[in-house]
Short mmCIF file of all heavy atoms in Angstrom, two decimals:
data_model
loop_
_atom_site.label_atom_id
_atom_site.label_comp_id
_atom_site.label_asym_id
_atom_site.label_seq_id
_atom_site.Cartn_x
_atom_site.Cartn_y
_atom_site.Cartn_z
N LEU A 14 -18.10 -10.59 6.13
CA LEU A 14 -16.72 -11.06 5.96
C LEU A 14 -15.84 -9.87 5.61
O LEU A 14 -16.16 -9.09 4.72
CB LEU A 14 -16.68 -12.12 4.87
CG LEU A 14 -15.32 -12.75 4.60
CD1 LEU A 14 -14.80 -13.46 5.83
CD2 LEU A 14 -15.44 -13.71 3.45
N TYR A 15 -14.74 -9.73 6.30
CA TYR A 15 -13.81 -8.63 6.08
C TYR A 15 -12.51 -9.20 5.54
O TYR A 15 -11.88 -10.05 6.18
CB TYR A 15 -13.56 -7.90 7.41
CG TYR A 15 -13.13 -6.49 7.22
CD1 TYR A 15 -14.05 -5.49 7.05
CD2 TYR A 15 -11.79 -6.16 7.21
CE1 TYR A 15 -13.66 -4.18 6.87
CE2 TYR A 15 -11.39 -4.86 7.04
CZ TYR A 15 -12.33 -3.87 6.87
OH TYR A 15 -11.94 -2.57 6.69
N LEU A 16 -12.11 -8.78 4.34
CA LEU A 16 -10.90 -9.31 3.70
C LEU A 16 -9.82 -8.25 3.66
O LEU A 16 -10.10 -7.07 3.44
CB LEU A 16 -11.22 -9.76 2.28
CG LEU A 16 -12.27 -10.85 2.14
CD1 LEU A 16 -12.58 -11.10 0.68
CD2 LEU A 16 -11.78 -12.13 2.80
N THR A 17 -8.55 -8.67 3.84
CA THR A 17 -7.41 -7.76 3.71
C THR A 17 -6.37 -8.40 2.80
O THR A 17 -6.33 -9.62 2.62
CB THR A 17 -6.76 -7.44 5.07
OG1 THR A 17 -6.13 -8.60 5.58
CG2 THR A 17 -7.78 -6.91 6.07
N ARG A 18 -5.52 -7.55 2.25
CA ARG A 18 -4.42 -8.03 1.41
C ARG A 18 -3.27 -7.04 1.52
O ARG A 18 -3.47 -5.84 1.51
CB ARG A 18 -4.85 -8.15 -0.04
CG ARG A 18 -3.69 -8.59 -0.93
CD ARG A 18 -4.11 -9.14 -2.24
NE ARG A 18 -4.87 -10.37 -1.99
CZ ARG A 18 -5.56 -10.98 -2.92
NH1 ARG A 18 -5.61 -10.51 -4.13
NH2 ARG A 18 -6.22 -12.08 -2.65
N ALA A 19 -2.04 -7.58 1.60
CA ALA A 19 -0.84 -6.75 1.66
C ALA A 19 -0.22 -6.63 0.27
O ALA A 19 -0.20 -7.60 -0.50
CB ALA A 19 0.17 -7.34 2.63
N ILE A 20 0.27 -5.44 -0.04
CA ILE A 20 0.92 -5.15 -1.32
C ILE A 20 2.25 -4.47 -1.01
O ILE A 20 2.33 -3.63 -0.11
CB ILE A 20 0.06 -4.22 -2.20
CG1 ILE A 20 -1.35 -4.78 -2.39
CG2 ILE A 20 0.73 -3.93 -3.53
CD1 ILE A 20 -1.42 -6.04 -3.19
N GLN A 21 3.28 -4.79 -1.78
CA GLN A 21 4.59 -4.19 -1.58
C GLN A 21 5.16 -3.75 -2.92
O GLN A 21 4.99 -4.44 -3.92
CB GLN A 21 5.52 -5.22 -0.93
CG GLN A 21 6.92 -4.72 -0.68
CD GLN A 21 7.70 -5.72 0.14
OE1 GLN A 21 7.26 -6.12 1.20
NE2 GLN A 21 8.86 -6.12 -0.34
N ILE A 22 5.84 -2.62 -2.93
CA ILE A 22 6.51 -2.12 -4.12
C ILE A 22 7.92 -1.70 -3.73
O ILE A 22 8.14 -1.18 -2.65
CB ILE A 22 5.71 -0.96 -4.77
CG1 ILE A 22 6.33 -0.56 -6.09
CG2 ILE A 22 5.58 0.22 -3.83
CD1 ILE A 22 5.47 0.36 -6.94
N ARG A 23 8.87 -1.95 -4.63
CA ARG A 23 10.28 -1.63 -4.35
C ARG A 23 10.79 -0.55 -5.28
O ARG A 23 10.36 -0.45 -6.42
CB ARG A 23 11.15 -2.88 -4.51
CG ARG A 23 10.84 -3.97 -3.52
CD ARG A 23 11.72 -5.18 -3.75
NE ARG A 23 13.14 -4.87 -3.65
CZ ARG A 23 13.83 -4.90 -2.52
NH1 ARG A 23 13.24 -5.21 -1.40
NH2 ARG A 23 15.12 -4.62 -2.51
N CYS A 24 11.75 0.19 -4.77
CA CYS A 24 12.46 1.17 -5.59
C CYS A 24 13.42 0.41 -6.51
O CYS A 24 13.73 -0.77 -6.29
CB CYS A 24 13.26 2.11 -4.70
SG CYS A 24 12.24 3.14 -3.61
N GLU A 25 13.92 1.10 -7.53
CA GLU A 25 14.93 0.53 -8.41
C GLU A 25 16.23 0.36 -7.62
O GLU A 25 16.46 1.04 -6.62
CB GLU A 25 15.17 1.44 -9.62
CG GLU A 25 13.95 1.61 -10.51
CD GLU A 25 13.60 0.36 -11.27
OE1 GLU A 25 14.51 -0.43 -11.62
OE2 GLU A 25 12.39 0.14 -11.50
N SER A 26 17.11 -0.51 -8.11
CA SER A 26 18.41 -0.71 -7.47
C SER A 26 19.15 0.62 -7.38
O SER A 26 19.17 1.40 -8.34
CB SER A 26 19.21 -1.71 -8.30
OG SER A 26 20.47 -1.91 -7.72
N GLY A 27 19.74 0.91 -6.23
CA GLY A 27 20.49 2.15 -6.04
C GLY A 27 19.63 3.31 -5.57
O GLY A 27 20.14 4.40 -5.33
N GLU A 28 18.32 3.11 -5.47
CA GLU A 28 17.42 4.17 -4.99
C GLU A 28 16.98 3.87 -3.57
O GLU A 28 17.07 2.74 -3.11
CB GLU A 28 16.18 4.26 -5.88
CG GLU A 28 16.45 4.74 -7.28
CD GLU A 28 15.19 4.88 -8.09
OE1 GLU A 28 14.17 4.23 -7.78
OE2 GLU A 28 15.22 5.63 -9.07
N ARG A 29 16.48 4.89 -2.88
CA ARG A 29 15.91 4.71 -1.54
C ARG A 29 14.52 5.31 -1.52
O ARG A 29 14.20 6.24 -2.26
CB ARG A 29 16.80 5.35 -0.48
CG ARG A 29 16.97 6.83 -0.63
CD ARG A 29 18.00 7.35 0.37
NE ARG A 29 18.35 8.71 0.06
CZ ARG A 29 17.77 9.77 0.57
NH1 ARG A 29 16.79 9.63 1.43
NH2 ARG A 29 18.13 10.98 0.23
N ALA A 30 13.69 4.76 -0.65
CA ALA A 30 12.31 5.24 -0.52
C ALA A 30 12.29 6.52 0.31
O ALA A 30 12.87 6.58 1.39
CB ALA A 30 11.44 4.18 0.14
N ILE A 31 11.63 7.55 -0.20
CA ILE A 31 11.50 8.83 0.50
C ILE A 31 10.15 8.92 1.22
O ILE A 31 10.06 9.39 2.33
CB ILE A 31 11.60 10.01 -0.51
CG1 ILE A 31 12.94 9.96 -1.26
CG2 ILE A 31 11.40 11.34 0.17
CD1 ILE A 31 14.14 10.12 -0.37
N ALA A 32 9.09 8.44 0.56
CA ALA A 32 7.73 8.49 1.11
C ALA A 32 6.89 7.46 0.38
O ALA A 32 7.26 6.96 -0.67
CB ALA A 32 7.13 9.88 0.95
N GLY A 33 5.72 7.17 0.94
CA GLY A 33 4.81 6.24 0.29
C GLY A 33 3.40 6.47 0.79
O GLY A 33 3.17 7.25 1.73
N GLY A 34 2.47 5.80 0.16
CA GLY A 34 1.07 5.94 0.56
C GLY A 34 0.19 4.99 -0.20
O GLY A 34 0.65 4.16 -0.97
N THR A 35 -1.12 5.13 0.03
CA THR A 35 -2.11 4.23 -0.57
C THR A 35 -3.31 5.01 -1.09
O THR A 35 -3.54 6.15 -0.70
CB THR A 35 -2.64 3.21 0.45
OG1 THR A 35 -3.38 3.89 1.45
CG2 THR A 35 -1.52 2.42 1.09
N SER A 36 -4.05 4.36 -1.97
CA SER A 36 -5.32 4.93 -2.44
C SER A 36 -6.23 3.78 -2.85
O SER A 36 -5.78 2.66 -3.08
CB SER A 36 -5.10 5.89 -3.61
OG SER A 36 -4.55 5.21 -4.72
N TRP A 37 -7.53 4.09 -2.93
CA TRP A 37 -8.54 3.14 -3.38
C TRP A 37 -9.19 3.65 -4.66
O TRP A 37 -9.24 4.86 -4.88
CB TRP A 37 -9.62 2.96 -2.31
CG TRP A 37 -9.19 2.08 -1.17
CD1 TRP A 37 -8.63 2.48 0.00
CD2 TRP A 37 -9.27 0.67 -1.11
NE1 TRP A 37 -8.37 1.40 0.79
CE2 TRP A 37 -8.76 0.27 0.13
CE3 TRP A 37 -9.73 -0.31 -1.98
CZ2 TRP A 37 -8.69 -1.06 0.52
CZ3 TRP A 37 -9.67 -1.64 -1.59
CH2 TRP A 37 -9.15 -2.00 -0.35
N SER A 38 -9.72 2.74 -5.47
CA SER A 38 -10.38 3.11 -6.73
C SER A 38 -11.76 3.71 -6.51
O SER A 38 -12.37 4.19 -7.46
CB SER A 38 -10.49 1.89 -7.64
OG SER A 38 -11.27 0.87 -7.02
N SER A 39 -12.25 3.70 -5.28
CA SER A 39 -13.57 4.25 -4.97
C SER A 39 -13.50 5.01 -3.65
O SER A 39 -12.70 4.68 -2.77
CB SER A 39 -14.58 3.11 -4.84
OG SER A 39 -15.83 3.59 -4.39
N ASP A 40 -14.34 6.05 -3.53
CA ASP A 40 -14.43 6.75 -2.25
C ASP A 40 -15.89 6.98 -1.85
O ASP A 40 -16.24 7.93 -1.17
CB ASP A 40 -13.67 8.07 -2.26
CG ASP A 40 -14.25 9.09 -3.21
OD1 ASP A 40 -15.18 8.76 -3.97
OD2 ASP A 40 -13.79 10.25 -3.19
N ALA A 41 -16.75 6.05 -2.27
CA ALA A 41 -18.17 6.15 -1.95
C ALA A 41 -18.39 6.05 -0.44
O ALA A 41 -17.75 5.25 0.24
CB ALA A 41 -18.95 5.03 -2.66
N ASN A 42 -19.27 6.87 0.07
CA ASN A 42 -19.52 6.93 1.51
C ASN A 42 -20.00 5.62 2.10
O ASN A 42 -19.70 5.30 3.24
CB ASN A 42 -20.53 8.03 1.83
CG ASN A 42 -19.95 9.40 1.65
OD1 ASN A 42 -18.75 9.58 1.74
ND2 ASN A 42 -20.81 10.36 1.41
N GLU A 43 -20.76 4.83 1.34
CA GLU A 43 -21.33 3.59 1.88
C GLU A 43 -20.34 2.42 1.86
O GLU A 43 -20.66 1.35 2.35
CB GLU A 43 -22.61 3.22 1.13
CG GLU A 43 -22.41 2.86 -0.31
CD GLU A 43 -22.38 4.05 -1.26
OE1 GLU A 43 -22.47 5.20 -0.81
OE2 GLU A 43 -22.25 3.82 -2.47
N GLU A 44 -19.15 2.60 1.32
CA GLU A 44 -18.16 1.53 1.26
C GLU A 44 -17.10 1.72 2.35
O GLU A 44 -16.58 2.82 2.53
CB GLU A 44 -17.48 1.50 -0.11
CG GLU A 44 -18.44 1.18 -1.22
CD GLU A 44 -17.78 1.17 -2.57
OE1 GLU A 44 -16.63 1.58 -2.71
OE2 GLU A 44 -18.45 0.73 -3.50
N GLU A 45 -16.81 0.64 3.06
CA GLU A 45 -15.77 0.70 4.08
C GLU A 45 -14.48 0.12 3.50
O GLU A 45 -14.27 -1.09 3.50
CB GLU A 45 -16.19 -0.05 5.33
CG GLU A 45 -15.22 0.16 6.47
CD GLU A 45 -15.74 -0.38 7.78
OE1 GLU A 45 -16.96 -0.40 8.00
OE2 GLU A 45 -14.91 -0.81 8.57
N LEU A 46 -13.63 0.99 2.97
CA LEU A 46 -12.35 0.61 2.40
C LEU A 46 -11.28 1.27 3.26
O LEU A 46 -11.23 2.49 3.37
CB LEU A 46 -12.24 1.10 0.96
CG LEU A 46 -13.37 0.65 0.02
CD1 LEU A 46 -13.29 1.39 -1.30
CD2 LEU A 46 -13.30 -0.84 -0.20
N ILE A 47 -10.41 0.47 3.88
CA ILE A 47 -9.45 1.04 4.81
C ILE A 47 -8.01 0.64 4.47
O ILE A 47 -7.77 -0.36 3.80
CB ILE A 47 -9.74 0.60 6.27
CG1 ILE A 47 -9.55 -0.91 6.42
CG2 ILE A 47 -11.13 1.01 6.69
CD1 ILE A 47 -9.46 -1.37 7.84
N THR A 48 -7.07 1.45 4.93
CA THR A 48 -5.67 1.08 4.93
C THR A 48 -5.35 0.62 6.35
O THR A 48 -5.45 1.40 7.30
CB THR A 48 -4.78 2.28 4.53
OG1 THR A 48 -5.11 2.66 3.19
CG2 THR A 48 -3.31 1.91 4.60
N VAL A 49 -4.99 -0.63 6.50
CA VAL A 49 -4.72 -1.22 7.80
C VAL A 49 -3.37 -0.73 8.32
O VAL A 49 -3.23 -0.35 9.47
CB VAL A 49 -4.75 -2.76 7.73
CG1 VAL A 49 -4.41 -3.39 9.06
CG2 VAL A 49 -6.11 -3.24 7.23
N TYR A 50 -2.35 -0.75 7.45
CA TYR A 50 -1.04 -0.17 7.78
C TYR A 50 -0.36 0.27 6.51
O TYR A 50 -0.70 -0.17 5.41
CB TYR A 50 -0.16 -1.14 8.58
CG TYR A 50 0.22 -2.42 7.86
CD1 TYR A 50 1.18 -2.43 6.84
CD2 TYR A 50 -0.35 -3.62 8.23
CE1 TYR A 50 1.53 -3.60 6.20
CE2 TYR A 50 0.01 -4.80 7.59
CZ TYR A 50 0.96 -4.78 6.58
OH TYR A 50 1.29 -5.94 5.94
N SER A 51 0.62 1.15 6.64
CA SER A 51 1.39 1.69 5.52
C SER A 51 2.75 2.11 6.08
O SER A 51 2.80 2.99 6.94
CB SER A 51 0.65 2.87 4.90
OG SER A 51 1.40 3.47 3.87
N HIS A 52 3.83 1.45 5.61
CA HIS A 52 5.15 1.77 6.15
C HIS A 52 6.25 1.41 5.16
O HIS A 52 6.04 0.64 4.22
CB HIS A 52 5.37 1.03 7.48
CG HIS A 52 5.29 -0.47 7.36
ND1 HIS A 52 6.30 -1.25 6.88
CD2 HIS A 52 4.30 -1.33 7.69
CE1 HIS A 52 5.95 -2.52 6.90
NE2 HIS A 52 4.72 -2.59 7.39
N PRO A 53 7.46 1.98 5.37
CA PRO A 53 8.57 1.67 4.47
C PRO A 53 9.06 0.23 4.65
O PRO A 53 8.93 -0.35 5.73
CB PRO A 53 9.66 2.67 4.87
CG PRO A 53 9.30 3.14 6.22
CD PRO A 53 7.82 2.97 6.37
N VAL A 54 9.61 -0.33 3.58
CA VAL A 54 10.31 -1.60 3.63
C VAL A 54 11.78 -1.25 3.86
O VAL A 54 12.37 -0.51 3.07
CB VAL A 54 10.15 -2.39 2.31
CG1 VAL A 54 11.00 -3.64 2.31
CG2 VAL A 54 8.70 -2.70 2.05
N VAL A 55 12.35 -1.75 4.94
CA VAL A 55 13.73 -1.43 5.30
C VAL A 55 14.59 -2.68 5.20
O VAL A 55 14.24 -3.72 5.76
CB VAL A 55 13.80 -0.83 6.72
CG1 VAL A 55 15.24 -0.52 7.11
CG2 VAL A 55 12.93 0.41 6.82
N GLU A 56 15.70 -2.55 4.47
CA GLU A 56 16.67 -3.65 4.36
C GLU A 56 18.04 -3.08 4.66
O GLU A 56 18.44 -2.06 4.09
CB GLU A 56 16.65 -4.25 2.95
CG GLU A 56 15.36 -4.99 2.64
CD GLU A 56 15.34 -5.55 1.24
OE1 GLU A 56 16.29 -5.33 0.46
OE2 GLU A 56 14.33 -6.21 0.90
N ASN A 57 18.76 -3.71 5.57
CA ASN A 57 20.09 -3.26 5.98
C ASN A 57 20.08 -1.79 6.40
O ASN A 57 21.00 -1.04 6.07
CB ASN A 57 21.12 -3.49 4.86
CG ASN A 57 21.24 -4.95 4.49
OD1 ASN A 57 21.24 -5.82 5.37
ND2 ASN A 57 21.32 -5.24 3.22
N GLY A 58 19.02 -1.37 7.09
CA GLY A 58 18.91 -0.01 7.59
C GLY A 58 18.55 1.03 6.54
O GLY A 58 18.51 2.22 6.83
N LYS A 59 18.25 0.61 5.31
CA LYS A 59 17.94 1.53 4.22
C LYS A 59 16.50 1.30 3.75
O LYS A 59 16.12 0.16 3.45
CB LYS A 59 18.92 1.30 3.07
CG LYS A 59 18.68 2.18 1.86
CD LYS A 59 19.69 1.85 0.77
CE LYS A 59 19.38 2.62 -0.49
NZ LYS A 59 20.28 2.25 -1.59
N PRO A 60 15.68 2.36 3.66
CA PRO A 60 14.32 2.20 3.12
C PRO A 60 14.37 1.95 1.61
O PRO A 60 14.86 2.78 0.86
CB PRO A 60 13.64 3.53 3.45
CG PRO A 60 14.75 4.51 3.58
CD PRO A 60 15.96 3.74 4.04
N VAL A 61 13.89 0.78 1.17
CA VAL A 61 14.01 0.38 -0.23
C VAL A 61 12.67 0.21 -0.93
O VAL A 61 12.62 -0.16 -2.10
CB VAL A 61 14.82 -0.94 -0.36
CG1 VAL A 61 16.25 -0.75 0.11
CG2 VAL A 61 14.14 -2.07 0.40
N GLY A 62 11.58 0.49 -0.24
CA GLY A 62 10.26 0.32 -0.85
C GLY A 62 9.17 0.67 0.14
O GLY A 62 9.43 1.27 1.19
N TRP A 63 7.94 0.29 -0.22
CA TRP A 63 6.78 0.59 0.63
C TRP A 63 5.86 -0.61 0.68
O TRP A 63 5.68 -1.30 -0.32
CB TRP A 63 6.03 1.81 0.09
CG TRP A 63 5.34 2.56 1.18
CD1 TRP A 63 4.04 2.45 1.54
CD2 TRP A 63 5.93 3.51 2.05
NE1 TRP A 63 3.78 3.28 2.60
CE2 TRP A 63 4.93 3.96 2.93
CE3 TRP A 63 7.21 4.04 2.18
CZ2 TRP A 63 5.16 4.89 3.92
CZ3 TRP A 63 7.45 4.98 3.16
CH2 TRP A 63 6.43 5.40 4.02
N ARG A 64 5.27 -0.87 1.85
CA ARG A 64 4.34 -1.99 2.03
C ARG A 64 3.11 -1.48 2.77
O ARG A 64 3.22 -0.69 3.70
CB ARG A 64 5.01 -3.10 2.84
CG ARG A 64 4.13 -4.32 3.03
CD ARG A 64 4.93 -5.43 3.71
NE ARG A 64 4.13 -6.62 3.93
CZ ARG A 64 3.90 -7.56 3.04
NH1 ARG A 64 4.42 -7.46 1.83
NH2 ARG A 64 3.16 -8.61 3.33
N ALA A 65 1.95 -1.95 2.33
CA ALA A 65 0.70 -1.54 2.97
C ALA A 65 -0.30 -2.68 2.87
O ALA A 65 -0.20 -3.55 2.01
CB ALA A 65 0.14 -0.29 2.31
N ARG A 66 -1.28 -2.66 3.77
CA ARG A 66 -2.37 -3.64 3.77
C ARG A 66 -3.69 -2.89 3.69
O ARG A 66 -3.93 -1.96 4.46
CB ARG A 66 -2.34 -4.50 5.02
CG ARG A 66 -3.46 -5.53 5.08
CD ARG A 66 -3.31 -6.47 6.24
NE ARG A 66 -2.18 -7.36 6.11
CZ ARG A 66 -2.18 -8.53 5.46
NH1 ARG A 66 -3.28 -8.96 4.86
NH2 ARG A 66 -1.10 -9.27 5.40
N GLY A 67 -4.52 -3.28 2.73
CA GLY A 67 -5.83 -2.70 2.57
C GLY A 67 -6.91 -3.68 2.96
O GLY A 67 -6.71 -4.90 2.86
N GLY A 68 -8.04 -3.18 3.41
CA GLY A 68 -9.13 -4.04 3.82
C GLY A 68 -10.48 -3.54 3.33
O GLY A 68 -10.68 -2.34 3.15
N SER A 69 -11.40 -4.48 3.10
CA SER A 69 -12.73 -4.15 2.59
C SER A 69 -13.76 -5.13 3.14
O SER A 69 -13.47 -6.32 3.32
CB SER A 69 -12.72 -4.24 1.06
OG SER A 69 -14.02 -4.15 0.56
N ASP A 70 -14.96 -4.60 3.37
CA ASP A 70 -16.06 -5.48 3.79
C ASP A 70 -17.14 -5.59 2.72
O ASP A 70 -18.23 -6.06 2.98
CB ASP A 70 -16.66 -5.00 5.11
CG ASP A 70 -17.43 -3.71 4.98
OD1 ASP A 70 -17.27 -3.01 3.96
OD2 ASP A 70 -18.19 -3.38 5.90
N ILE A 71 -16.84 -5.15 1.49
CA ILE A 71 -17.83 -5.23 0.41
C ILE A 71 -17.52 -6.42 -0.50
O ILE A 71 -16.39 -6.89 -0.56
CB ILE A 71 -17.90 -3.92 -0.41
CG1 ILE A 71 -16.57 -3.61 -1.07
CG2 ILE A 71 -18.33 -2.77 0.47
CD1 ILE A 71 -16.60 -2.42 -1.99
N ALA A 72 -18.52 -6.90 -1.20
CA ALA A 72 -18.39 -8.11 -2.01
C ALA A 72 -17.95 -7.84 -3.45
O ALA A 72 -17.79 -8.78 -4.22
CB ALA A 72 -19.71 -8.87 -2.01
N THR A 73 -17.76 -6.59 -3.83
CA THR A 73 -17.33 -6.29 -5.19
C THR A 73 -15.87 -5.86 -5.20
O THR A 73 -15.33 -5.42 -4.19
CB THR A 73 -18.20 -5.18 -5.81
OG1 THR A 73 -18.14 -4.03 -4.97
CG2 THR A 73 -19.64 -5.62 -5.95
N ASP A 74 -15.23 -6.00 -6.35
CA ASP A 74 -13.82 -5.67 -6.48
C ASP A 74 -13.58 -4.16 -6.41
O ASP A 74 -14.32 -3.38 -6.99
CB ASP A 74 -13.26 -6.17 -7.81
CG ASP A 74 -13.14 -7.68 -7.86
OD1 ASP A 74 -13.16 -8.30 -6.78
OD2 ASP A 74 -13.03 -8.22 -8.96
N ARG A 75 -12.52 -3.80 -5.71
CA ARG A 75 -12.00 -2.43 -5.67
C ARG A 75 -10.49 -2.53 -5.79
O ARG A 75 -9.88 -3.49 -5.31
CB ARG A 75 -12.37 -1.71 -4.37
CG ARG A 75 -13.85 -1.45 -4.20
CD ARG A 75 -14.36 -0.47 -5.26
NE ARG A 75 -15.78 -0.21 -5.11
CZ ARG A 75 -16.73 -0.80 -5.81
NH1 ARG A 75 -16.42 -1.73 -6.69
NH2 ARG A 75 -17.99 -0.47 -5.63
N VAL A 76 -9.86 -1.55 -6.40
CA VAL A 76 -8.41 -1.56 -6.58
C VAL A 76 -7.75 -0.79 -5.43
O VAL A 76 -8.08 0.37 -5.19
CB VAL A 76 -8.02 -0.93 -7.94
CG1 VAL A 76 -6.51 -0.87 -8.08
CG2 VAL A 76 -8.64 -1.71 -9.08
N PHE A 77 -6.82 -1.45 -4.75
CA PHE A 77 -6.02 -0.86 -3.68
C PHE A 77 -4.62 -0.65 -4.24
O PHE A 77 -3.98 -1.58 -4.70
CB PHE A 77 -5.97 -1.80 -2.48
CG PHE A 77 -5.14 -1.32 -1.33
CD1 PHE A 77 -5.51 -0.18 -0.62
CD2 PHE A 77 -4.02 -2.01 -0.94
CE1 PHE A 77 -4.74 0.25 0.45
CE2 PHE A 77 -3.26 -1.59 0.14
CZ PHE A 77 -3.62 -0.45 0.83
N THR A 78 -4.15 0.61 -4.24
CA THR A 78 -2.87 0.95 -4.85
C THR A 78 -1.88 1.38 -3.77
O THR A 78 -2.22 2.17 -2.89
CB THR A 78 -3.05 2.09 -5.86
OG1 THR A 78 -4.00 1.68 -6.86
CG2 THR A 78 -1.75 2.45 -6.55
N VAL A 79 -0.66 0.88 -3.87
CA VAL A 79 0.44 1.28 -3.01
C VAL A 79 1.46 1.99 -3.88
O VAL A 79 1.84 1.48 -4.93
CB VAL A 79 1.07 0.08 -2.29
CG1 VAL A 79 2.27 0.50 -1.46
CG2 VAL A 79 0.05 -0.65 -1.44
N GLU A 80 1.88 3.19 -3.45
CA GLU A 80 2.83 3.98 -4.22
C GLU A 80 4.04 4.30 -3.35
O GLU A 80 3.93 4.40 -2.13
CB GLU A 80 2.18 5.27 -4.69
CG GLU A 80 0.99 5.02 -5.61
CD GLU A 80 0.34 6.30 -6.04
OE1 GLU A 80 -0.55 6.76 -5.30
OE2 GLU A 80 0.72 6.83 -7.09
N VAL A 81 5.19 4.47 -4.01
CA VAL A 81 6.41 4.86 -3.30
C VAL A 81 7.13 5.93 -4.12
O VAL A 81 7.14 5.89 -5.35
CB VAL A 81 7.34 3.64 -3.05
CG1 VAL A 81 7.85 3.03 -4.35
CG2 VAL A 81 8.50 4.01 -2.14
N LEU A 82 7.68 6.91 -3.42
CA LEU A 82 8.50 7.95 -4.04
C LEU A 82 9.94 7.58 -3.75
O LEU A 82 10.33 7.43 -2.59
CB LEU A 82 8.18 9.33 -3.44
CG LEU A 82 9.04 10.49 -3.90
CD1 LEU A 82 8.88 10.72 -5.40
CD2 LEU A 82 8.72 11.73 -3.12
N CYS A 83 10.74 7.41 -4.80
CA CYS A 83 12.13 6.97 -4.66
C CYS A 83 13.09 8.04 -5.16
O CYS A 83 12.73 8.85 -6.02
CB CYS A 83 12.36 5.69 -5.48
SG CYS A 83 11.28 4.33 -5.03
N ALA A 84 14.31 8.04 -4.61
CA ALA A 84 15.35 8.98 -5.02
C ALA A 84 16.68 8.25 -5.07
O ALA A 84 16.89 7.25 -4.37
CB ALA A 84 15.44 10.15 -4.05
N GLN A 85 17.59 8.72 -5.90
CA GLN A 85 18.93 8.14 -5.98
C GLN A 85 19.64 8.30 -4.64
O GLN A 85 19.49 9.31 -3.97
CB GLN A 85 19.75 8.83 -7.07
CG GLN A 85 19.30 8.51 -8.48
CD GLN A 85 19.58 7.07 -8.84
OE1 GLN A 85 20.58 6.48 -8.45
NE2 GLN A 85 18.67 6.48 -9.61
N GLY A 86 20.39 7.28 -4.28
CA GLY A 86 21.21 7.38 -3.06
C GLY A 86 20.74 6.45 -2.06
O GLY A 86 20.92 6.31 -0.96
#
């Protein structure tokens, strides 16, 4: 069974997203932990956050983190 989940994070009001990415709490070779997609959240033509989907085929919990770098403007 392969499970995926989407996570989204937003910048503070008045900020725009400059870049974003993902990471996993484990990097063991025998675990298949993937980022399915990773892209900015755009509203009214302005990048305001980051959204990504992570996937795993293992039966134990792993933490999938989505991060965004924001700047004023």
Side-chain angles (χ1 to χ4, degrees):
L14 182 61
Y15 204 85
L16 300 174
T17 69
R18 177 161 296 169
I20 306 293
Q21 179 172 307
I22 187 168
R23 295 179 59 87
C24 296
E25 297 291 328
S26 179
E28 293 183 336
R29 61 187 170 92
I31 301 298
T35 66
S36 63
W37 283 94
S38 61
S39 173
D40 66 353
N42 288 335
E43 66 276 2
E44 296 179 350
E45 188 170 329
L46 305 170
I47 65 165
T48 297
V49 178
Y50 63 74
S51 176
H52 60 78
V54 174
V55 179
E56 292 178 357
N57 300 319
K59 179 181 175 184
V61 296
W63 209 263
R64 182 174 179 83
R66 179 173 292 274
S69 170
D70 70 344
I71 61 175
T73 57
D74 289 342
R75 294 294 180 262
V76 177
F77 178 65
T78 302
V79 177
E80 298 178 273
V81 64
L82 175 63
C83 302
Q85 289 291 324

